[in-house]
Amino acid sequence: PDIDEHTAEEWLKADMARAVRAAIRLCPGAESPAQLAALADFAFNCGGGNLQVSTLRRKVNRKDYLAAEAEFAKWVFARGVKLPGLVRRRKAEARVFGGH
């Protein structure tokens, strides 16, 4: 079914709001808006459930931020295949998370 631009934007806003709520709820160890933004982007792309069970989350909540930043790079596979687009996205998230 065709959807109009307004509907698509509303769905996108709702999905992003869900991802932001997941990042806030699951990662109380995040200390900066940049860290939360990176975690919300990760949750938007990988799902809140994956964030919940991830080592990334555990490292953030232990405030081991350098190790957490490195965890993004592990999430670059789809069906066992390393995808260049995911490599770029995870690098960008890691840079935002680390404040670079």
Side-chain angles (χ1 to χ4, degrees):
D2 291 339
I3 60 166
D4 60 35
E5 187 173 339
H6 174 75
T7 301
E9 286 183 17
E10 291 303 312
W11 288 355
L12 177 61
K13 287 177 189 176
D15 287 348
M16 194 64 219
R18 207 170 7 263
V20 169
R21 285 192 305 272
I24 291 168
R25 178 176 53 85
L26 295 170
C27 298
E31 291 189 338
S32 73
Q35 288 177 343
L36 276 174
L39 293 163
D41 191 73
F42 178 89
F44 180 85
N45 187 242
C46 296
N50 281 322
L51 178 59
Q52 183 173 4
V53 300
S54 70
T55 302
L56 169 61
R57 174 186 178 219
R58 288 192 296 278
K59 303 263 185 200
V60 169
N61 289 337
R62 290 181 188 144
K63 299 185 185 283
D64 187 355
Y65 300 127
L66 285 176
E69 189 175 336
E71 286 296 311
F72 285 94
K74 296 179 180 177
W75 291 83
V76 296
F77 296 91
R79 296 188 180 123
V81 177
K82 189 174 189 177
L83 299 179
L86 291 179
V87 171
R88 285 189 302 274
R89 186 178 190 124
R90 297 290 97 79
K91 281 183 181 178
E93 290 165 348
R95 279 194 307 271
V96 170
F97 183 86
H100 307 292

